[in-house]
Amino acid sequence: SRHYLALAIAPRELLDGASNNDNSLANTPENVAGVLGIDIELLGRARAREALAAHYYHPNEHALATSELGFLTIWTRKEAIVKAHGIGLRISLKSLNTATDIVDHSQLGRWQCNSFSLQEHSHEIAVLSLSWPATRKP
C-alpha cells in the first residue's frame, strides 16, 4: 500500500485449516492448508466510504464501518480472506460478514481474522488484517 509492505509468516500447524462443509470452494486442507491472507490499507486517503459500504458490506458490518479505522478494518479483512482462499472477487463481498474474528461463509468455509492498527509517532497510519483457515466448530 503505497510505500508500505507487509509480509506474514506463521508456523504451518497454526495454518492447517479444516473443512466444515463439502463445498469445493470451502477451505479444505487439500486446497488451502498453510495459506495466510494479508491486506494493508493506509488511513487518510479519500474514499467514498458510504457508497462502498452500501455496495460491498454485509448489513452486520455497517455499524463498525462508521469511522475510517472501522471501515478499513472490515475492508482489509474481506481482502485478506479472498486472497487467502484464492477465490478473488468471484463472490459477492456483501455476502462475507467479517464483523467478528471468526468468519463463517457458505461457500468459503470458516476463517480466522485478526486486524491491527499500525502507528507511527503515536498516530494511526494503517490497518493490517490477516486471515487463515479456522478449525472446525467445537
Side-chain angles (χ1 to χ4, degrees), residues 53 55-62 73-85 87-89 91-100 102-113 131:
H55 193 267
Y56 295 110
Y57 284 23
H58 186 278
N60 294 352
E61 297 170 328
H62 287 268
T73 297
I74 297 298
W75 186 262
T76 57
R77 284 175 174 230
K78 288 178 181 289
E79 288 273 342
I81 291 172
V82 298
K83 287 176 181 178
H85 186 279
I87 195 168
L89 297 178
I91 65 159
S92 165
L93 290 180
K94 201 171 202 168
S95 73
L96 188 58
N97 178 10
T98 63
T100 60
I102 299 291
V103 175
D104 284 306
H105 189 273
S106 61
Q107 289 180 287
L108 305 182
R110 190 168 167 84
W111 294 87
Q112 172 73 43
C113 288
S131 184

mmCIF file of all heavy atoms in Angstrom, residues 53 55-62 73-85 87-89 91-100 102-113 131:
data_model
loop_
_atom_site.group_PDB
_atom_site.id
_atom_site.type_symbol
_atom_site.label_atom_id
_atom_site.label_comp_id
_atom_site.label_asym_id
_atom_site.label_seq_id
_atom_site.Cartn_x
_atom_site.Cartn_y
_atom_site.Cartn_z
ATOM 1 N N ALA A 53 -19.480 1.019 1.370
ATOM 2 C CA ALA A 53 -20.110 0.175 2.387
ATOM 3 C C ALA A 53 -21.480 -0.311 1.904
ATOM 4 O O ALA A 53 -21.832 -1.480 2.088
ATOM 5 C CB ALA A 53 -20.232 0.921 3.707
ATOM 6 N N HIS A 55 -22.438 -0.887 -1.059
ATOM 7 C CA HIS A 55 -22.282 -1.847 -2.157
ATOM 8 C C HIS A 55 -21.593 -3.145 -1.748
ATOM 9 O O HIS A 55 -21.926 -4.214 -2.248
ATOM 10 C CB HIS A 55 -21.497 -1.186 -3.289
ATOM 11 C CG HIS A 55 -21.535 -1.959 -4.562
ATOM 12 N ND1 HIS A 55 -20.563 -2.879 -4.910
ATOM 13 C CD2 HIS A 55 -22.443 -1.984 -5.569
ATOM 14 C CE1 HIS A 55 -20.859 -3.418 -6.073
ATOM 15 N NE2 HIS A 55 -21.993 -2.891 -6.494
ATOM 16 N N TYR A 56 -20.615 -3.074 -0.827
ATOM 17 C CA TYR A 56 -19.767 -4.238 -0.536
ATOM 18 C C TYR A 56 -19.893 -4.808 0.883
ATOM 19 O O TYR A 56 -19.395 -5.892 1.147
ATOM 20 C CB TYR A 56 -18.293 -3.894 -0.759
ATOM 21 C CG TYR A 56 -17.960 -3.585 -2.183
ATOM 22 C CD1 TYR A 56 -17.642 -2.293 -2.570
ATOM 23 C CD2 TYR A 56 -17.964 -4.588 -3.153
ATOM 24 C CE1 TYR A 56 -17.325 -2.005 -3.895
ATOM 25 C CE2 TYR A 56 -17.658 -4.311 -4.467
ATOM 26 C CZ TYR A 56 -17.333 -3.012 -4.839
ATOM 27 O OH TYR A 56 -17.023 -2.738 -6.138
ATOM 28 N N TYR A 57 -20.529 -4.085 1.803
ATOM 29 C CA TYR A 57 -20.519 -4.520 3.197
ATOM 30 C C TYR A 57 -21.793 -5.251 3.589
ATOM 31 O O TYR A 57 -22.898 -4.849 3.222
ATOM 32 C CB TYR A 57 -20.302 -3.320 4.129
ATOM 33 C CG TYR A 57 -18.862 -2.841 4.155
ATOM 34 C CD1 TYR A 57 -17.994 -3.100 3.103
ATOM 35 C CD2 TYR A 57 -18.380 -2.130 5.224
ATOM 36 C CE1 TYR A 57 -16.679 -2.667 3.130
ATOM 37 C CE2 TYR A 57 -17.060 -1.690 5.261
ATOM 38 C CZ TYR A 57 -16.223 -1.968 4.201
ATOM 39 O OH TYR A 57 -14.913 -1.547 4.231
ATOM 40 N N HIS A 58 -21.613 -6.319 4.331
ATOM 41 C CA HIS A 58 -22.713 -7.092 4.898
ATOM 42 C C HIS A 58 -23.470 -6.179 5.875
ATOM 43 O O HIS A 58 -22.863 -5.310 6.513
ATOM 44 C CB HIS A 58 -22.117 -8.298 5.639
ATOM 45 C CG HIS A 58 -23.118 -9.260 6.147
ATOM 46 N ND1 HIS A 58 -23.784 -9.067 7.337
ATOM 47 C CD2 HIS A 58 -23.573 -10.426 5.623
ATOM 48 C CE1 HIS A 58 -24.595 -10.082 7.530
ATOM 49 N NE2 HIS A 58 -24.492 -10.926 6.518
ATOM 50 N N PRO A 59 -24.780 -6.342 6.044
ATOM 51 C CA PRO A 59 -25.532 -5.493 6.975
ATOM 52 C C PRO A 59 -24.942 -5.453 8.394
ATOM 53 O O PRO A 59 -24.975 -4.412 9.051
ATOM 54 C CB PRO A 59 -26.928 -6.114 6.976
ATOM 55 C CG PRO A 59 -27.052 -6.749 5.633
ATOM 56 C CD PRO A 59 -25.662 -7.257 5.305
ATOM 57 N N ASN A 60 -24.384 -6.566 8.868
ATOM 58 C CA ASN A 60 -23.786 -6.586 10.209
ATOM 59 C C ASN A 60 -22.503 -5.771 10.316
ATOM 60 O O ASN A 60 -22.044 -5.485 11.416
ATOM 61 C CB ASN A 60 -23.483 -8.026 10.643
ATOM 62 C CG ASN A 60 -24.734 -8.849 10.831
ATOM 63 O OD1 ASN A 60 -25.843 -8.335 10.784
ATOM 64 N ND2 ASN A 60 -24.554 -10.130 11.026
ATOM 65 N N GLU A 61 -21.926 -5.390 9.194
ATOM 66 C CA GLU A 61 -20.668 -4.639 9.198
ATOM 67 C C GLU A 61 -20.862 -3.122 9.210
ATOM 68 O O GLU A 61 -19.941 -2.388 9.560
ATOM 69 C CB GLU A 61 -19.830 -5.013 7.969
ATOM 70 C CG GLU A 61 -19.414 -6.456 7.945
ATOM 71 C CD GLU A 61 -18.794 -6.869 6.626
ATOM 72 O OE1 GLU A 61 -19.178 -6.324 5.562
ATOM 73 O OE2 GLU A 61 -17.918 -7.741 6.659
ATOM 74 N N HIS A 62 -22.039 -2.656 8.861
ATOM 75 C CA HIS A 62 -22.266 -1.217 8.717
ATOM 76 C C HIS A 62 -22.006 -0.430 10.001
ATOM 77 O O HIS A 62 -21.420 0.647 9.961
ATOM 78 C CB HIS A 62 -23.677 -0.932 8.184
ATOM 79 C CG HIS A 62 -23.816 -1.272 6.740
ATOM 80 N ND1 HIS A 62 -23.603 -0.371 5.729
ATOM 81 C CD2 HIS A 62 -24.124 -2.450 6.128
ATOM 82 C CE1 HIS A 62 -23.779 -0.953 4.561
ATOM 83 N NE2 HIS A 62 -24.089 -2.223 4.779
ATOM 84 N N THR A 73 -10.836 -1.661 8.644
ATOM 85 C CA THR A 73 -10.721 -2.967 9.289
ATOM 86 C C THR A 73 -11.583 -3.981 8.550
ATOM 87 O O THR A 73 -11.128 -5.079 8.226
ATOM 88 C CB THR A 73 -11.118 -2.879 10.775
ATOM 89 O OG1 THR A 73 -10.200 -2.002 11.437
ATOM 90 C CG2 THR A 73 -11.090 -4.246 11.437
ATOM 91 N N ILE A 74 -12.814 -3.611 8.241
ATOM 92 C CA ILE A 74 -13.712 -4.501 7.504
ATOM 93 C C ILE A 74 -13.152 -4.764 6.104
ATOM 94 O O ILE A 74 -13.095 -5.906 5.642
ATOM 95 C CB ILE A 74 -15.140 -3.907 7.426
ATOM 96 C CG1 ILE A 74 -15.749 -3.774 8.826
ATOM 97 C CG2 ILE A 74 -16.027 -4.716 6.487
ATOM 98 C CD1 ILE A 74 -15.921 -5.074 9.567
ATOM 99 N N TRP A 75 -12.730 -3.722 5.427
ATOM 100 C CA TRP A 75 -12.221 -3.865 4.048
ATOM 101 C C TRP A 75 -11.003 -4.789 3.993
ATOM 102 O O TRP A 75 -10.931 -5.684 3.154
ATOM 103 C CB TRP A 75 -11.865 -2.502 3.471
ATOM 104 C CG TRP A 75 -11.487 -2.609 2.028
ATOM 105 C CD1 TRP A 75 -10.230 -2.666 1.501
ATOM 106 C CD2 TRP A 75 -12.392 -2.707 0.934
ATOM 107 N NE1 TRP A 75 -10.297 -2.795 0.148
ATOM 108 C CE2 TRP A 75 -11.617 -2.820 -0.235
ATOM 109 C CE3 TRP A 75 -13.777 -2.712 0.825
ATOM 110 C CZ2 TRP A 75 -12.174 -2.930 -1.504
ATOM 111 C CZ3 TRP A 75 -14.332 -2.824 -0.433
ATOM 112 C CH2 TRP A 75 -13.532 -2.932 -1.583
ATOM 113 N N THR A 76 -10.051 -4.600 4.905
ATOM 114 C CA THR A 76 -8.837 -5.413 4.874
ATOM 115 C C THR A 76 -9.123 -6.868 5.254
ATOM 116 O O THR A 76 -8.473 -7.779 4.751
ATOM 117 C CB THR A 76 -7.728 -4.829 5.764
ATOM 118 O OG1 THR A 76 -8.203 -4.690 7.110
ATOM 119 C CG2 THR A 76 -7.244 -3.486 5.235
ATOM 120 N N ARG A 77 -10.103 -7.092 6.121
ATOM 121 C CA ARG A 77 -10.481 -8.466 6.460
ATOM 122 C C ARG A 77 -11.059 -9.183 5.241
ATOM 123 O O ARG A 77 -10.736 -10.337 4.966
ATOM 124 C CB ARG A 77 -11.501 -8.483 7.591
ATOM 125 C CG ARG A 77 -10.899 -8.203 8.935
ATOM 126 C CD ARG A 77 -11.963 -8.103 10.008
ATOM 127 N NE ARG A 77 -11.331 -7.974 11.303
ATOM 128 C CZ ARG A 77 -11.646 -8.719 12.359
ATOM 129 N NH1 ARG A 77 -12.597 -9.616 12.284
ATOM 130 N NH2 ARG A 77 -11.010 -8.551 13.489
ATOM 131 N N LYS A 78 -11.935 -8.505 4.510
ATOM 132 C CA LYS A 78 -12.505 -9.089 3.301
ATOM 133 C C LYS A 78 -11.392 -9.438 2.307
ATOM 134 O O LYS A 78 -11.349 -10.538 1.745
ATOM 135 C CB LYS A 78 -13.503 -8.127 2.652
ATOM 136 C CG LYS A 78 -14.805 -7.986 3.410
ATOM 137 C CD LYS A 78 -15.715 -6.969 2.725
ATOM 138 C CE LYS A 78 -17.000 -6.782 3.468
ATOM 139 N NZ LYS A 78 -17.915 -7.925 3.392
ATOM 140 N N GLU A 79 -10.494 -8.498 2.093
ATOM 141 C CA GLU A 79 -9.376 -8.708 1.159
ATOM 142 C C GLU A 79 -8.491 -9.867 1.606
ATOM 143 O O GLU A 79 -8.082 -10.688 0.795
ATOM 144 C CB GLU A 79 -8.541 -7.434 1.047
ATOM 145 C CG GLU A 79 -9.216 -6.326 0.290
ATOM 146 C CD GLU A 79 -8.981 -6.415 -1.204
ATOM 147 O OE1 GLU A 79 -8.041 -7.108 -1.636
ATOM 148 O OE2 GLU A 79 -9.754 -5.784 -1.942
ATOM 149 N N ALA A 80 -8.181 -9.929 2.897
ATOM 150 C CA ALA A 80 -7.314 -10.991 3.409
ATOM 151 C C ALA A 80 -7.945 -12.364 3.199
ATOM 152 O O ALA A 80 -7.257 -13.321 2.819
ATOM 153 C CB ALA A 80 -6.995 -10.757 4.884
ATOM 154 N N ILE A 81 -9.255 -12.480 3.429
ATOM 155 C CA ILE A 81 -9.931 -13.768 3.250
ATOM 156 C C ILE A 81 -9.932 -14.192 1.789
ATOM 157 O O ILE A 81 -9.578 -15.325 1.461
ATOM 158 C CB ILE A 81 -11.363 -13.743 3.813
ATOM 159 C CG1 ILE A 81 -11.327 -13.661 5.338
ATOM 160 C CG2 ILE A 81 -12.148 -14.986 3.364
ATOM 161 C CD1 ILE A 81 -12.687 -13.445 5.981
ATOM 162 N N VAL A 82 -10.331 -13.299 0.888
ATOM 163 C CA VAL A 82 -10.398 -13.711 -0.515
ATOM 164 C C VAL A 82 -9.008 -13.967 -1.091
ATOM 165 O O VAL A 82 -8.842 -14.830 -1.955
ATOM 166 C CB VAL A 82 -11.220 -12.735 -1.398
ATOM 167 C CG1 VAL A 82 -12.668 -12.681 -0.932
ATOM 168 C CG2 VAL A 82 -10.624 -11.361 -1.467
ATOM 169 N N LYS A 83 -7.993 -13.274 -0.590
ATOM 170 C CA LYS A 83 -6.620 -13.559 -1.023
ATOM 171 C C LYS A 83 -6.167 -14.918 -0.502
ATOM 172 O O LYS A 83 -5.571 -15.698 -1.239
ATOM 173 C CB LYS A 83 -5.661 -12.477 -0.523
ATOM 174 C CG LYS A 83 -5.783 -11.158 -1.248
ATOM 175 C CD LYS A 83 -4.855 -10.145 -0.615
ATOM 176 C CE LYS A 83 -4.964 -8.789 -1.285
ATOM 177 N NZ LYS A 83 -4.074 -7.801 -0.616
ATOM 178 N N ALA A 84 -6.439 -15.204 0.761
ATOM 179 C CA ALA A 84 -6.034 -16.482 1.338
ATOM 180 C C ALA A 84 -6.738 -17.637 0.644
ATOM 181 O O ALA A 84 -6.123 -18.652 0.330
ATOM 182 C CB ALA A 84 -6.333 -16.519 2.839
ATOM 183 N N HIS A 85 -8.010 -17.479 0.392
ATOM 184 C CA HIS A 85 -8.784 -18.547 -0.236
ATOM 185 C C HIS A 85 -8.404 -18.698 -1.697
ATOM 186 O O HIS A 85 -8.347 -19.802 -2.221
ATOM 187 C CB HIS A 85 -10.284 -18.278 -0.108
ATOM 188 C CG HIS A 85 -11.096 -19.415 -0.612
ATOM 189 N ND1 HIS A 85 -11.354 -19.607 -1.957
ATOM 190 C CD2 HIS A 85 -11.697 -20.436 0.045
ATOM 191 C CE1 HIS A 85 -12.082 -20.689 -2.093
ATOM 192 N NE2 HIS A 85 -12.309 -21.216 -0.896
ATOM 193 N N ILE A 87 -10.207 -17.213 -4.103
ATOM 194 C CA ILE A 87 -11.422 -17.067 -4.909
ATOM 195 C C ILE A 87 -11.506 -15.697 -5.581
ATOM 196 O O ILE A 87 -12.188 -15.523 -6.572
ATOM 197 C CB ILE A 87 -12.689 -17.335 -4.064
ATOM 198 C CG1 ILE A 87 -13.890 -17.536 -4.972
ATOM 199 C CG2 ILE A 87 -12.936 -16.227 -3.049
ATOM 200 C CD1 ILE A 87 -15.109 -18.066 -4.292
ATOM 201 N N GLY A 88 -10.804 -14.728 -5.049
ATOM 202 C CA GLY A 88 -10.871 -13.393 -5.622
ATOM 203 C C GLY A 88 -12.261 -12.802 -5.506
ATOM 204 O O GLY A 88 -12.956 -13.033 -4.530
ATOM 205 N N LEU A 89 -12.671 -12.099 -6.518
ATOM 206 C CA LEU A 89 -13.971 -11.423 -6.472
ATOM 207 C C LEU A 89 -15.062 -12.218 -7.189
ATOM 208 O O LEU A 89 -16.003 -11.657 -7.727
ATOM 209 C CB LEU A 89 -13.851 -10.013 -7.054
ATOM 210 C CG LEU A 89 -12.918 -9.101 -6.265
ATOM 211 C CD1 LEU A 89 -12.802 -7.743 -6.930
ATOM 212 C CD2 LEU A 89 -13.390 -8.954 -4.830
ATOM 213 N N ILE A 91 -17.102 -13.993 -5.624
ATOM 214 C CA ILE A 91 -18.246 -13.994 -4.716
ATOM 215 C C ILE A 91 -18.620 -12.547 -4.450
ATOM 216 O O ILE A 91 -17.820 -11.638 -4.654
ATOM 217 C CB ILE A 91 -17.931 -14.697 -3.376
ATOM 218 C CG1 ILE A 91 -16.859 -13.930 -2.603
ATOM 219 C CG2 ILE A 91 -17.560 -16.141 -3.573
ATOM 220 C CD1 ILE A 91 -16.852 -14.218 -1.128
ATOM 221 N N SER A 92 -19.810 -12.360 -3.958
ATOM 222 C CA SER A 92 -20.236 -11.030 -3.545
ATOM 223 C C SER A 92 -19.589 -10.714 -2.199
ATOM 224 O O SER A 92 -19.763 -11.462 -1.232
ATOM 225 C CB SER A 92 -21.753 -10.986 -3.412
ATOM 226 O OG SER A 92 -22.152 -9.836 -2.701
ATOM 227 N N LEU A 93 -18.828 -9.628 -2.127
ATOM 228 C CA LEU A 93 -18.213 -9.248 -0.853
ATOM 229 C C LEU A 93 -19.268 -8.929 0.195
ATOM 230 O O LEU A 93 -19.017 -9.046 1.388
ATOM 231 C CB LEU A 93 -17.275 -8.061 -1.033
ATOM 232 C CG LEU A 93 -15.991 -8.349 -1.809
ATOM 233 C CD1 LEU A 93 -15.140 -7.082 -1.911
ATOM 234 C CD2 LEU A 93 -15.199 -9.481 -1.180
ATOM 235 N N LYS A 94 -20.459 -8.563 -0.257
ATOM 236 C CA LYS A 94 -21.553 -8.267 0.665
ATOM 237 C C LYS A 94 -21.998 -9.523 1.417
ATOM 238 O O LYS A 94 -22.517 -9.435 2.521
ATOM 239 C CB LYS A 94 -22.726 -7.665 -0.109
ATOM 240 C CG LYS A 94 -23.678 -6.873 0.708
ATOM 241 C CD LYS A 94 -24.663 -6.150 -0.190
ATOM 242 C CE LYS A 94 -25.238 -4.981 0.556
ATOM 243 N NZ LYS A 94 -25.971 -4.081 -0.294
ATOM 244 N N SER A 95 -21.773 -10.702 0.845
ATOM 245 C CA SER A 95 -22.153 -11.952 1.499
ATOM 246 C C SER A 95 -21.139 -12.372 2.571
ATOM 247 O O SER A 95 -21.398 -13.288 3.335
ATOM 248 C CB SER A 95 -22.281 -13.078 0.467
ATOM 249 O OG SER A 95 -21.015 -13.488 -0.001
ATOM 250 N N LEU A 96 -20.018 -11.709 2.638
ATOM 251 C CA LEU A 96 -18.938 -12.058 3.555
ATOM 252 C C LEU A 96 -18.997 -11.151 4.781
ATOM 253 O O LEU A 96 -18.655 -9.975 4.719
ATOM 254 C CB LEU A 96 -17.601 -11.895 2.822
ATOM 255 C CG LEU A 96 -16.340 -12.372 3.481
ATOM 256 C CD1 LEU A 96 -16.411 -13.843 3.822
ATOM 257 C CD2 LEU A 96 -15.155 -12.112 2.562
ATOM 258 N N ASN A 97 -19.476 -11.683 5.899
ATOM 259 C CA ASN A 97 -19.639 -10.916 7.135
ATOM 260 C C ASN A 97 -18.378 -11.040 7.994
ATOM 261 O O ASN A 97 -18.158 -12.055 8.642
ATOM 262 C CB ASN A 97 -20.864 -11.420 7.899
ATOM 263 C CG ASN A 97 -21.063 -10.704 9.223
ATOM 264 O OD1 ASN A 97 -20.409 -9.698 9.511
ATOM 265 N ND2 ASN A 97 -21.955 -11.219 10.029
ATOM 266 N N THR A 98 -17.562 -9.995 8.006
ATOM 267 C CA THR A 98 -16.304 -10.012 8.749
ATOM 268 C C THR A 98 -16.394 -9.195 10.041
ATOM 269 O O THR A 98 -15.376 -8.731 10.557
ATOM 270 C CB THR A 98 -15.150 -9.471 7.881
ATOM 271 O OG1 THR A 98 -15.412 -8.114 7.559
ATOM 272 C CG2 THR A 98 -14.982 -10.288 6.616
ATOM 273 N N ALA A 99 -17.595 -9.048 10.566
ATOM 274 C CA ALA A 99 -17.784 -8.244 11.782
ATOM 275 C C ALA A 99 -17.221 -8.937 13.024
ATOM 276 O O ALA A 99 -17.076 -8.308 14.062
ATOM 277 C CB ALA A 99 -19.264 -7.927 11.981
ATOM 278 N N THR A 100 -16.915 -10.226 12.930
ATOM 279 C CA THR A 100 -16.340 -10.968 14.053
ATOM 280 C C THR A 100 -15.020 -11.597 13.618
ATOM 281 O O THR A 100 -14.724 -11.684 12.420
ATOM 282 C CB THR A 100 -17.295 -12.075 14.534
ATOM 283 O OG1 THR A 100 -17.537 -12.964 13.453
ATOM 284 C CG2 THR A 100 -18.610 -11.501 15.034
ATOM 285 N N ILE A 102 -14.085 -14.722 13.816
ATOM 286 C CA ILE A 102 -14.308 -15.977 13.104
ATOM 287 C C ILE A 102 -15.394 -15.718 12.070
ATOM 288 O O ILE A 102 -16.483 -15.252 12.398
ATOM 289 C CB ILE A 102 -14.748 -17.122 14.047
ATOM 290 C CG1 ILE A 102 -13.674 -17.406 15.086
ATOM 291 C CG2 ILE A 102 -15.094 -18.377 13.252
ATOM 292 C CD1 ILE A 102 -12.403 -18.027 14.540
ATOM 293 N N VAL A 103 -15.088 -16.005 10.819
ATOM 294 C CA VAL A 103 -16.000 -15.733 9.718
ATOM 295 C C VAL A 103 -16.444 -17.063 9.127
ATOM 296 O O VAL A 103 -15.614 -17.864 8.686
ATOM 297 C CB VAL A 103 -15.305 -14.876 8.640
ATOM 298 C CG1 VAL A 103 -16.206 -14.683 7.436
ATOM 299 C CG2 VAL A 103 -14.873 -13.541 9.227
ATOM 300 N N ASP A 104 -17.756 -17.303 9.136
ATOM 301 C CA ASP A 104 -18.343 -18.479 8.512
ATOM 302 C C ASP A 104 -19.041 -18.041 7.231
ATOM 303 O O ASP A 104 -19.865 -17.124 7.255
ATOM 304 C CB ASP A 104 -19.373 -19.136 9.442
ATOM 305 C CG ASP A 104 -18.728 -19.905 10.560
ATOM 306 O OD1 ASP A 104 -17.883 -20.771 10.253
ATOM 307 O OD2 ASP A 104 -19.052 -19.649 11.729
ATOM 308 N N HIS A 105 -18.700 -18.680 6.127
ATOM 309 C CA HIS A 105 -19.305 -18.338 4.844
ATOM 310 C C HIS A 105 -19.731 -19.630 4.152
ATOM 311 O O HIS A 105 -18.983 -20.611 4.158
ATOM 312 C CB HIS A 105 -18.303 -17.570 3.981
ATOM 313 C CG HIS A 105 -18.898 -17.004 2.739
ATOM 314 N ND1 HIS A 105 -18.989 -17.724 1.571
ATOM 315 C CD2 HIS A 105 -19.433 -15.791 2.493
ATOM 316 C CE1 HIS A 105 -19.551 -16.970 0.643
ATOM 317 N NE2 HIS A 105 -19.837 -15.800 1.177
ATOM 318 N N SER A 106 -20.918 -19.640 3.564
ATOM 319 C CA SER A 106 -21.452 -20.861 2.965
ATOM 320 C C SER A 106 -20.572 -21.415 1.852
ATOM 321 O O SER A 106 -20.493 -22.625 1.667
ATOM 322 C CB SER A 106 -22.873 -20.620 2.446
ATOM 323 O OG SER A 106 -22.852 -19.619 1.451
ATOM 324 N N GLN A 107 -19.899 -20.565 1.101
ATOM 325 C CA GLN A 107 -19.047 -21.025 0.012
ATOM 326 C C GLN A 107 -17.571 -21.147 0.407
ATOM 327 O O GLN A 107 -16.870 -22.008 -0.101
ATOM 328 C CB GLN A 107 -19.142 -20.064 -1.176
ATOM 329 C CG GLN A 107 -20.459 -20.118 -1.889
ATOM 330 C CD GLN A 107 -20.466 -19.145 -3.027
ATOM 331 O OE1 GLN A 107 -20.545 -17.940 -2.819
ATOM 332 N NE2 GLN A 107 -20.360 -19.661 -4.245
ATOM 333 N N LEU A 108 -17.101 -20.269 1.267
ATOM 334 C CA LEU A 108 -15.672 -20.216 1.583
ATOM 335 C C LEU A 108 -15.280 -21.011 2.809
ATOM 336 O O LEU A 108 -14.098 -21.247 3.048
ATOM 337 C CB LEU A 108 -15.228 -18.759 1.779
ATOM 338 C CG LEU A 108 -15.517 -17.812 0.629
ATOM 339 C CD1 LEU A 108 -14.986 -16.427 0.933
ATOM 340 C CD2 LEU A 108 -14.947 -18.335 -0.671
ATOM 341 N N GLY A 109 -16.248 -21.374 3.634
ATOM 342 C CA GLY A 109 -15.945 -22.106 4.856
ATOM 343 C C GLY A 109 -15.697 -21.178 6.031
ATOM 344 O O GLY A 109 -16.229 -20.076 6.105
ATOM 345 N N ARG A 110 -14.840 -21.605 6.927
ATOM 346 C CA ARG A 110 -14.611 -20.917 8.211
ATOM 347 C C ARG A 110 -13.198 -20.326 8.241
ATOM 348 O O ARG A 110 -12.224 -21.033 8.025
ATOM 349 C CB ARG A 110 -14.798 -21.952 9.318
ATOM 350 C CG ARG A 110 -14.848 -21.424 10.705
ATOM 351 C CD ARG A 110 -15.334 -22.566 11.621
ATOM 352 N NE ARG A 110 -15.140 -22.289 13.012
ATOM 353 C CZ ARG A 110 -15.974 -21.590 13.753
ATOM 354 N NH1 ARG A 110 -17.073 -21.097 13.232
ATOM 355 N NH2 ARG A 110 -15.718 -21.385 15.027
ATOM 356 N N TRP A 111 -13.113 -19.034 8.568
ATOM 357 C CA TRP A 111 -11.841 -18.305 8.547
ATOM 358 C C TRP A 111 -11.620 -17.532 9.845
ATOM 359 O O TRP A 111 -12.559 -16.987 10.420
ATOM 360 C CB TRP A 111 -11.821 -17.330 7.365
ATOM 361 C CG TRP A 111 -11.823 -18.073 6.083
ATOM 362 C CD1 TRP A 111 -12.913 -18.524 5.398
ATOM 363 C CD2 TRP A 111 -10.689 -18.506 5.355
ATOM 364 N NE1 TRP A 111 -12.512 -19.210 4.287
ATOM 365 C CE2 TRP A 111 -11.149 -19.205 4.236
ATOM 366 C CE3 TRP A 111 -9.315 -18.358 5.540
ATOM 367 C CZ2 TRP A 111 -10.285 -19.770 3.301
ATOM 368 C CZ3 TRP A 111 -8.459 -18.911 4.608
ATOM 369 C CH2 TRP A 111 -8.944 -19.611 3.508
ATOM 370 N N GLN A 112 -10.396 -17.484 10.262
ATOM 371 C CA GLN A 112 -9.973 -16.659 11.398
ATOM 372 C C GLN A 112 -9.452 -15.339 10.832
ATOM 373 O O GLN A 112 -8.723 -15.340 9.847
ATOM 374 C CB GLN A 112 -8.843 -17.368 12.163
ATOM 375 C CG GLN A 112 -8.203 -16.533 13.246
ATOM 376 C CD GLN A 112 -9.089 -16.364 14.458
ATOM 377 O OE1 GLN A 112 -9.701 -17.315 14.903
ATOM 378 N NE2 GLN A 112 -9.137 -15.171 14.995
ATOM 379 N N CYS A 113 -9.817 -14.233 11.471
ATOM 380 C CA CYS A 113 -9.319 -12.916 11.059
ATOM 381 C C CYS A 113 -8.746 -12.188 12.265
ATOM 382 O O CYS A 113 -9.335 -12.227 13.353
ATOM 383 C CB CYS A 113 -10.442 -12.043 10.497
ATOM 384 S SG CYS A 113 -11.030 -12.551 8.894
ATOM 385 N N SER A 131 -5.683 -13.366 7.664
ATOM 386 C CA SER A 131 -6.721 -14.389 7.699
ATOM 387 C C SER A 131 -6.133 -15.736 7.336
ATOM 388 O O SER A 131 -5.250 -15.830 6.490
ATOM 389 C CB SER A 131 -7.844 -14.034 6.720
ATOM 390 O OG SER A 131 -8.882 -14.975 6.824
#
